[in-house]
């Protein structure tokens, strides 16, 4: 069993900052890519940022220069530092990890954490 547990969401004013964390636990051989996705009300889930096990990153154009993804492989944790937040960043943020099990690779999702940015 693999679990991803997110924390760090909340309510913040526009221009403020939040830091999300996502810790993986359970029985597995390792973790490949990890990432953050978000879903605003009435919209589809979209990619925010991803990071490989080697530290290469990828960002949605809408968050470039404002958000930073990082990971601690020893702690099996991925972070998302969000600065200069805008009301358009509001949504439920989900952690994703591609986890290596004995029988192969599988994607897991966290339960989501709410981020609300007020104007």
């Amino acid at each position: 069993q693999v679990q991803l547990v997110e924390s760090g969401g909340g309510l913040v004013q526009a221009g403020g900052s939040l830091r999300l964390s996502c810790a993986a636990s359970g029985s597995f051989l390792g973790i490949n890519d990890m990432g953050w996705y978000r879903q605003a009300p009435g919209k589809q889930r979209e990619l925010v940022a991803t990071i490989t096990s080697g530290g290469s990153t990828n960002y949605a154009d809408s968050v470039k220069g404002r958000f930073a993804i990082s990971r601690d492989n020893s702690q099996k944790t991925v972070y998302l530092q969000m600065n200069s937040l805008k009301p358009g960043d509001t949504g439920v943020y989900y952690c994703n990890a591609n986890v290596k099990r004995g029988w192969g690779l599988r994607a897991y999702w966290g339960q989501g954490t709410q981020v609300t940015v007020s104007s």
Side-chain angles (χ1 to χ4, degrees):
Q1 190 77 352
V2 178
Q3 285 190 319
L4 300 179
V5 179
E6 300 125 333
S7 60
L11 173 64
V12 64
Q13 287 189 331
S17 297
L18 284 174
R19 189 188 194 215
L20 305 182
S21 299
C22 171
S25 63
S27 178
F28 49 88
L29 300 178
I31 305 175
N32 285 1
D33 294 2
M34 302 184 81
W36 291 94
Y37 293 71
R38 67 186 180 191
Q39 188 166 17
K43 294 188 177 181
Q44 289 188 330
R45 190 174 299 188
E46 63 176 3
L47 180 146
V48 176
T50 61
I51 184 168
T52 68
S53 57
S56 296
T57 58
N58 179 55
Y59 294 94
D61 287 343
S62 60
V63 306
K64 282 180 182 176
R66 299 187 298 121
F67 290 12
I69 188 171
S70 61
R71 64 190 282 175
D72 183 336
N73 289 329
S74 65
Q75 297 297 318
K76 306 179 185 65
T77 301
V78 63
Y79 305 96
L80 186 67
Q81 178 66 44
M82 304 185 293
N83 300 325
S84 303
L85 282 160
K86 305 175 181 179
D89 295 318
T90 294
V92 179
Y93 282 68
Y94 296 92
C95 172
N96 170 268
N98 289 306
V99 178
K100 291 182 283 188
R101 308 291 300 276
W103 40 261
L105 199 65
R106 178 184 167 181
Y108 289 87
W109 293 90
Q111 80 286 355
T113 184
Q114 177 70 44
V115 171
T116 303
V117 184
S118 63
S119 56

